[in-house]
Amino acid sequence: MQIEIYRATLKHDTGKINLHVVSLSGEQGVKEQIMTAEKCPESAIVNIKKISK
């Protein structure tokens, strides 16, 4: 297991927001973390980019 840091862009009614997320379970884990924390649908996630390992 490796700790990876991702930058995610979310779209909402009033604009966009960037989040930094730390994950052990890759890009799918990042999506699940964001959807749980922000209570948003998967379609609100515009982009996910790996920053570092």
Side-chain angles (χ1 to χ4, degrees):
M1 288 183 141
Q2 273 188 317
I3 296 175
E4 298 174 330
I5 303 171
Y6 292 87
R7 183 179 68 218
T9 304
L10 274 67
K11 176 179 61 173
H12 56 86
D13 294 341
T14 58
K16 292 183 181 179
I17 187 169
N18 289 315
L19 299 173
H20 287 124
V21 181
V22 177
S23 179
L24 291 172
S25 53
E27 208 168 295
Q28 186 61 36
V30 171
K31 286 182 184 180
E32 291 175 15
Q33 286 178 328
I34 292 170
M35 290 188 301
T36 301
E38 297 293 327
K39 295 179 178 51
C40 67
E42 189 172 352
S43 61
I45 302 170
V46 177
N47 189 22
I48 297 176
K49 182 178 179 182
K50 186 188 294 188
I51 296 175
S52 67
K53 291 184 179 181

PDB file of all heavy atoms in Angstrom, residues 6 8 10 21 23 25-38 40-43 45-48:
ATOM      1  N   TYR A   6      -4.024  13.205  -4.328  1.00  0.00           N
ATOM      2  CA  TYR A   6      -4.742  13.567  -5.542  1.00  0.00           C
ATOM      3  C   TYR A   6      -5.327  14.970  -5.411  1.00  0.00           C
ATOM      4  O   TYR A   6      -5.644  15.416  -4.312  1.00  0.00           O
ATOM      5  CB  TYR A   6      -5.905  12.603  -5.785  1.00  0.00           C
ATOM      6  CG  TYR A   6      -5.476  11.205  -6.144  1.00  0.00           C
ATOM      7  CD1 TYR A   6      -5.197  10.261  -5.168  1.00  0.00           C
ATOM      8  CD2 TYR A   6      -5.376  10.816  -7.465  1.00  0.00           C
ATOM      9  CE1 TYR A   6      -4.813   8.981  -5.492  1.00  0.00           C
ATOM     10  CE2 TYR A   6      -4.989   9.529  -7.812  1.00  0.00           C
ATOM     11  CZ  TYR A   6      -4.719   8.620  -6.828  1.00  0.00           C
ATOM     12  OH  TYR A   6      -4.325   7.346  -7.155  1.00  0.00           O
ATOM     13  N   ALA A   8      -8.606  16.935  -6.806  1.00  0.00           N
ATOM     14  CA  ALA A   8      -9.886  16.697  -7.459  1.00  0.00           C
ATOM     15  C   ALA A   8     -10.606  18.020  -7.666  1.00  0.00           C
ATOM     16  O   ALA A   8     -10.565  18.900  -6.819  1.00  0.00           O
ATOM     17  CB  ALA A   8     -10.747  15.772  -6.609  1.00  0.00           C
ATOM     18  N   LEU A  10     -14.335  19.653  -8.312  1.00  0.00           N
ATOM     19  CA  LEU A  10     -15.767  19.400  -8.225  1.00  0.00           C
ATOM     20  C   LEU A  10     -16.527  20.579  -8.799  1.00  0.00           C
ATOM     21  O   LEU A  10     -16.115  21.721  -8.639  1.00  0.00           O
ATOM     22  CB  LEU A  10     -16.197  19.234  -6.761  1.00  0.00           C
ATOM     23  CG  LEU A  10     -16.082  17.848  -6.153  1.00  0.00           C
ATOM     24  CD1 LEU A  10     -14.638  17.439  -6.038  1.00  0.00           C
ATOM     25  CD2 LEU A  10     -16.754  17.812  -4.824  1.00  0.00           C
ATOM     26  N   VAL A  21      -6.842  15.312  -1.741  1.00  0.00           N
ATOM     27  CA  VAL A  21      -7.310  14.105  -1.048  1.00  0.00           C
ATOM     28  C   VAL A  21      -6.156  13.114  -0.945  1.00  0.00           C
ATOM     29  O   VAL A  21      -5.443  12.875  -1.911  1.00  0.00           O
ATOM     30  CB  VAL A  21      -8.482  13.459  -1.827  1.00  0.00           C
ATOM     31  CG1 VAL A  21      -8.990  12.238  -1.100  1.00  0.00           C
ATOM     32  CG2 VAL A  21      -9.600  14.458  -2.055  1.00  0.00           C
ATOM     33  N   SER A  23      -5.167   9.212  -0.321  1.00  0.00           N
ATOM     34  CA  SER A  23      -5.849   7.929  -0.451  1.00  0.00           C
ATOM     35  C   SER A  23      -4.848   6.777  -0.492  1.00  0.00           C
ATOM     36  O   SER A  23      -3.752   6.910  -1.022  1.00  0.00           O
ATOM     37  CB  SER A  23      -6.682   7.916  -1.736  1.00  0.00           C
ATOM     38  OG  SER A  23      -7.333   6.678  -1.888  1.00  0.00           O
ATOM     39  N   SER A  25      -6.269   3.787  -1.578  1.00  0.00           N
ATOM     40  CA  SER A  25      -6.958   2.870  -2.478  1.00  0.00           C
ATOM     41  C   SER A  25      -7.144   3.429  -3.885  1.00  0.00           C
ATOM     42  O   SER A  25      -8.073   3.048  -4.584  1.00  0.00           O
ATOM     43  CB  SER A  25      -8.306   2.479  -1.880  1.00  0.00           C
ATOM     44  OG  SER A  25      -9.044   3.633  -1.552  1.00  0.00           O
ATOM     45  N   GLY A  26      -6.283   4.322  -4.305  1.00  0.00           N
ATOM     46  CA  GLY A  26      -6.282   4.799  -5.676  1.00  0.00           C
ATOM     47  C   GLY A  26      -7.411   5.749  -6.009  1.00  0.00           C
ATOM     48  O   GLY A  26      -8.072   6.314  -5.135  1.00  0.00           O
ATOM     49  N   GLU A  27      -7.621   5.916  -7.308  1.00  0.00           N
ATOM     50  CA  GLU A  27      -8.585   6.894  -7.803  1.00  0.00           C
ATOM     51  C   GLU A  27     -10.026   6.556  -7.401  1.00  0.00           C
ATOM     52  O   GLU A  27     -10.812   7.441  -7.092  1.00  0.00           O
ATOM     53  CB  GLU A  27      -8.469   6.968  -9.328  1.00  0.00           C
ATOM     54  CG  GLU A  27      -8.850   8.306  -9.886  1.00  0.00           C
ATOM     55  CD  GLU A  27      -8.454   8.452 -11.340  1.00  0.00           C
ATOM     56  OE1 GLU A  27      -7.255   8.456 -11.633  1.00  0.00           O
ATOM     57  OE2 GLU A  27      -9.380   8.566 -12.159  1.00  0.00           O
ATOM     58  N   GLN A  28     -10.363   5.282  -7.404  1.00  0.00           N
ATOM     59  CA  GLN A  28     -11.715   4.886  -7.002  1.00  0.00           C
ATOM     60  C   GLN A  28     -11.967   5.226  -5.542  1.00  0.00           C
ATOM     61  O   GLN A  28     -13.050   5.680  -5.169  1.00  0.00           O
ATOM     62  CB  GLN A  28     -11.938   3.384  -7.246  1.00  0.00           C
ATOM     63  CG  GLN A  28     -13.352   2.941  -6.982  1.00  0.00           C
ATOM     64  CD  GLN A  28     -14.372   3.640  -7.869  1.00  0.00           C
ATOM     65  OE1 GLN A  28     -14.119   3.924  -9.032  1.00  0.00           O
ATOM     66  NE2 GLN A  28     -15.531   3.930  -7.322  1.00  0.00           N
ATOM     67  N   GLY A  29     -10.969   5.049  -4.697  1.00  0.00           N
ATOM     68  CA  GLY A  29     -11.085   5.409  -3.286  1.00  0.00           C
ATOM     69  C   GLY A  29     -11.270   6.904  -3.098  1.00  0.00           C
ATOM     70  O   GLY A  29     -12.021   7.348  -2.226  1.00  0.00           O
ATOM     71  N   VAL A  30     -10.597   7.692  -3.940  1.00  0.00           N
ATOM     72  CA  VAL A  30     -10.753   9.145  -3.894  1.00  0.00           C
ATOM     73  C   VAL A  30     -12.193   9.528  -4.213  1.00  0.00           C
ATOM     74  O   VAL A  30     -12.799  10.349  -3.526  1.00  0.00           O
ATOM     75  CB  VAL A  30      -9.772   9.832  -4.875  1.00  0.00           C
ATOM     76  CG1 VAL A  30     -10.074  11.309  -4.996  1.00  0.00           C
ATOM     77  CG2 VAL A  30      -8.343   9.635  -4.425  1.00  0.00           C
ATOM     78  N   LYS A  31     -12.757   8.927  -5.254  1.00  0.00           N
ATOM     79  CA  LYS A  31     -14.151   9.215  -5.630  1.00  0.00           C
ATOM     80  C   LYS A  31     -15.098   8.897  -4.475  1.00  0.00           C
ATOM     81  O   LYS A  31     -15.982   9.685  -4.150  1.00  0.00           O
ATOM     82  CB  LYS A  31     -14.563   8.406  -6.856  1.00  0.00           C
ATOM     83  CG  LYS A  31     -13.972   8.902  -8.138  1.00  0.00           C
ATOM     84  CD  LYS A  31     -14.463   8.067  -9.303  1.00  0.00           C
ATOM     85  CE  LYS A  31     -13.808   8.482 -10.593  1.00  0.00           C
ATOM     86  NZ  LYS A  31     -14.261   7.680 -11.731  1.00  0.00           N
ATOM     87  N   GLU A  32     -14.907   7.753  -3.854  1.00  0.00           N
ATOM     88  CA  GLU A  32     -15.777   7.356  -2.749  1.00  0.00           C
ATOM     89  C   GLU A  32     -15.641   8.304  -1.561  1.00  0.00           C
ATOM     90  O   GLU A  32     -16.637   8.678  -0.943  1.00  0.00           O
ATOM     91  CB  GLU A  32     -15.461   5.924  -2.327  1.00  0.00           C
ATOM     92  CG  GLU A  32     -15.872   4.895  -3.357  1.00  0.00           C
ATOM     93  CD  GLU A  32     -15.453   3.485  -2.986  1.00  0.00           C
ATOM     94  OE1 GLU A  32     -15.089   3.250  -1.814  1.00  0.00           O
ATOM     95  OE2 GLU A  32     -15.496   2.623  -3.877  1.00  0.00           O
ATOM     96  N   GLN A  33     -14.396   8.708  -1.244  1.00  0.00           N
ATOM     97  CA  GLN A  33     -14.175   9.643  -0.143  1.00  0.00           C
ATOM     98  C   GLN A  33     -14.865  10.977  -0.402  1.00  0.00           C
ATOM     99  O   GLN A  33     -15.500  11.542   0.482  1.00  0.00           O
ATOM    100  CB  GLN A  33     -12.680   9.888   0.061  1.00  0.00           C
ATOM    101  CG  GLN A  33     -11.946   8.755   0.706  1.00  0.00           C
ATOM    102  CD  GLN A  33     -10.466   9.049   0.827  1.00  0.00           C
ATOM    103  OE1 GLN A  33      -9.878   9.728   0.000  1.00  0.00           O
ATOM    104  NE2 GLN A  33      -9.858   8.531   1.879  1.00  0.00           N
ATOM    105  N   ILE A  34     -14.737  11.482  -1.620  1.00  0.00           N
ATOM    106  CA  ILE A  34     -15.336  12.775  -1.962  1.00  0.00           C
ATOM    107  C   ILE A  34     -16.852  12.694  -1.913  1.00  0.00           C
ATOM    108  O   ILE A  34     -17.518  13.567  -1.348  1.00  0.00           O
ATOM    109  CB  ILE A  34     -14.863  13.250  -3.347  1.00  0.00           C
ATOM    110  CG1 ILE A  34     -13.370  13.594  -3.302  1.00  0.00           C
ATOM    111  CG2 ILE A  34     -15.671  14.451  -3.820  1.00  0.00           C
ATOM    112  CD1 ILE A  34     -12.758  13.848  -4.658  1.00  0.00           C
ATOM    113  N   MET A  35     -17.424  11.651  -2.497  1.00  0.00           N
ATOM    114  CA  MET A  35     -18.884  11.524  -2.526  1.00  0.00           C
ATOM    115  C   MET A  35     -19.448  11.395  -1.111  1.00  0.00           C
ATOM    116  O   MET A  35     -20.517  11.925  -0.828  1.00  0.00           O
ATOM    117  CB  MET A  35     -19.298  10.343  -3.400  1.00  0.00           C
ATOM    118  CG  MET A  35     -19.042  10.587  -4.877  1.00  0.00           C
ATOM    119  SD  MET A  35     -19.709   9.340  -5.995  1.00  0.00           S
ATOM    120  CE  MET A  35     -18.902   7.864  -5.446  1.00  0.00           C
ATOM    121  N   THR A  36     -18.735  10.719  -0.219  1.00  0.00           N
ATOM    122  CA  THR A  36     -19.183  10.576   1.164  1.00  0.00           C
ATOM    123  C   THR A  36     -19.058  11.892   1.925  1.00  0.00           C
ATOM    124  O   THR A  36     -19.998  12.321   2.605  1.00  0.00           O
ATOM    125  CB  THR A  36     -18.362   9.485   1.879  1.00  0.00           C
ATOM    126  OG1 THR A  36     -18.518   8.258   1.168  1.00  0.00           O
ATOM    127  CG2 THR A  36     -18.823   9.310   3.301  1.00  0.00           C
ATOM    128  N   ALA A  37     -17.911  12.543   1.804  1.00  0.00           N
ATOM    129  CA  ALA A  37     -17.664  13.765   2.574  1.00  0.00           C
ATOM    130  C   ALA A  37     -18.494  14.945   2.086  1.00  0.00           C
ATOM    131  O   ALA A  37     -19.017  15.718   2.883  1.00  0.00           O
ATOM    132  CB  ALA A  37     -16.188  14.115   2.513  1.00  0.00           C
ATOM    133  N   GLU A  38     -18.626  15.084   0.774  1.00  0.00           N
ATOM    134  CA  GLU A  38     -19.326  16.239   0.200  1.00  0.00           C
ATOM    135  C   GLU A  38     -20.799  15.960  -0.105  1.00  0.00           C
ATOM    136  O   GLU A  38     -21.526  16.865  -0.487  1.00  0.00           O
ATOM    137  CB  GLU A  38     -18.623  16.688  -1.090  1.00  0.00           C
ATOM    138  CG  GLU A  38     -17.202  17.156  -0.889  1.00  0.00           C
ATOM    139  CD  GLU A  38     -17.104  18.437  -0.086  1.00  0.00           C
ATOM    140  OE1 GLU A  38     -18.012  19.284  -0.206  1.00  0.00           O
ATOM    141  OE2 GLU A  38     -16.131  18.584   0.659  1.00  0.00           O
ATOM    142  N   CYS A  40     -22.138  14.369  -2.660  1.00  0.00           N
ATOM    143  CA  CYS A  40     -22.383  14.765  -4.049  1.00  0.00           C
ATOM    144  C   CYS A  40     -22.421  13.522  -4.935  1.00  0.00           C
ATOM    145  O   CYS A  40     -21.886  12.480  -4.569  1.00  0.00           O
ATOM    146  CB  CYS A  40     -21.283  15.718  -4.523  1.00  0.00           C
ATOM    147  SG  CYS A  40     -19.650  14.962  -4.671  1.00  0.00           S
ATOM    148  N   PRO A  41     -23.039  13.625  -6.105  1.00  0.00           N
ATOM    149  CA  PRO A  41     -23.035  12.499  -7.041  1.00  0.00           C
ATOM    150  C   PRO A  41     -21.684  12.403  -7.753  1.00  0.00           C
ATOM    151  O   PRO A  41     -20.903  13.364  -7.771  1.00  0.00           O
ATOM    152  CB  PRO A  41     -24.145  12.855  -8.033  1.00  0.00           C
ATOM    153  CG  PRO A  41     -24.193  14.342  -8.006  1.00  0.00           C
ATOM    154  CD  PRO A  41     -23.865  14.729  -6.590  1.00  0.00           C
ATOM    155  N   GLU A  42     -21.432  11.272  -8.344  1.00  0.00           N
ATOM    156  CA  GLU A  42     -20.181  11.071  -9.070  1.00  0.00           C
ATOM    157  C   GLU A  42     -20.050  12.034 -10.247  1.00  0.00           C
ATOM    158  O   GLU A  42     -18.951  12.443 -10.611  1.00  0.00           O
ATOM    159  CB  GLU A  42     -20.084   9.624  -9.561  1.00  0.00           C
ATOM    160  CG  GLU A  42     -18.736   9.265 -10.128  1.00  0.00           C
ATOM    161  CD  GLU A  42     -18.606   7.792 -10.433  1.00  0.00           C
ATOM    162  OE1 GLU A  42     -19.499   7.007 -10.081  1.00  0.00           O
ATOM    163  OE2 GLU A  42     -17.580   7.430 -11.041  1.00  0.00           O
ATOM    164  N   SER A  43     -21.168  12.439 -10.814  1.00  0.00           N
ATOM    165  CA  SER A  43     -21.151  13.362 -11.958  1.00  0.00           C
ATOM    166  C   SER A  43     -20.646  14.754 -11.584  1.00  0.00           C
ATOM    167  O   SER A  43     -20.282  15.535 -12.458  1.00  0.00           O
ATOM    168  CB  SER A  43     -22.540  13.464 -12.578  1.00  0.00           C
ATOM    169  OG  SER A  43     -23.462  13.973 -11.639  1.00  0.00           O
ATOM    170  N   ILE A  45     -17.930  15.281  -9.921  1.00  0.00           N
ATOM    171  CA  ILE A  45     -16.469  15.225  -9.936  1.00  0.00           C
ATOM    172  C   ILE A  45     -16.009  15.401 -11.377  1.00  0.00           C
ATOM    173  O   ILE A  45     -16.255  14.557 -12.229  1.00  0.00           O
ATOM    174  CB  ILE A  45     -15.956  13.893  -9.351  1.00  0.00           C
ATOM    175  CG1 ILE A  45     -16.460  13.726  -7.927  1.00  0.00           C
ATOM    176  CG2 ILE A  45     -14.439  13.838  -9.408  1.00  0.00           C
ATOM    177  CD1 ILE A  45     -16.212  12.359  -7.327  1.00  0.00           C
ATOM    178  N   VAL A  46     -15.366  16.533 -11.633  1.00  0.00           N
ATOM    179  CA  VAL A  46     -14.955  16.882 -12.993  1.00  0.00           C
ATOM    180  C   VAL A  46     -13.634  16.216 -13.360  1.00  0.00           C
ATOM    181  O   VAL A  46     -13.492  15.659 -14.444  1.00  0.00           O
ATOM    182  CB  VAL A  46     -14.818  18.417 -13.143  1.00  0.00           C
ATOM    183  CG1 VAL A  46     -14.314  18.795 -14.513  1.00  0.00           C
ATOM    184  CG2 VAL A  46     -16.133  19.095 -12.843  1.00  0.00           C
ATOM    185  N   ASN A  47     -12.660  16.272 -12.439  1.00  0.00           N
ATOM    186  CA  ASN A  47     -11.322  15.795 -12.755  1.00  0.00           C
ATOM    187  C   ASN A  47     -10.625  15.305 -11.491  1.00  0.00           C
ATOM    188  O   ASN A  47     -10.801  15.884 -10.427  1.00  0.00           O
ATOM    189  CB  ASN A  47     -10.514  16.943 -13.385  1.00  0.00           C
ATOM    190  CG  ASN A  47      -9.187  16.491 -13.933  1.00  0.00           C
ATOM    191  OD1 ASN A  47      -8.998  15.322 -14.220  1.00  0.00           O
ATOM    192  ND2 ASN A  47      -8.257  17.420 -14.077  1.00  0.00           N
ATOM    193  N   ILE A  48      -9.822  14.253 -11.640  1.00  0.00           N
ATOM    194  CA  ILE A  48      -8.973  13.775 -10.557  1.00  0.00           C
ATOM    195  C   ILE A  48      -7.577  13.588 -11.135  1.00  0.00           C
ATOM    196  O   ILE A  48      -7.406  12.903 -12.140  1.00  0.00           O
ATOM    197  CB  ILE A  48      -9.471  12.444  -9.963  1.00  0.00           C
ATOM    198  CG1 ILE A  48     -10.848  12.634  -9.340  1.00  0.00           C
ATOM    199  CG2 ILE A  48      -8.492  11.917  -8.940  1.00  0.00           C
ATOM    200  CD1 ILE A  48     -11.460  11.352  -8.820  1.00  0.00           C
TER     201      ILE A  48
END
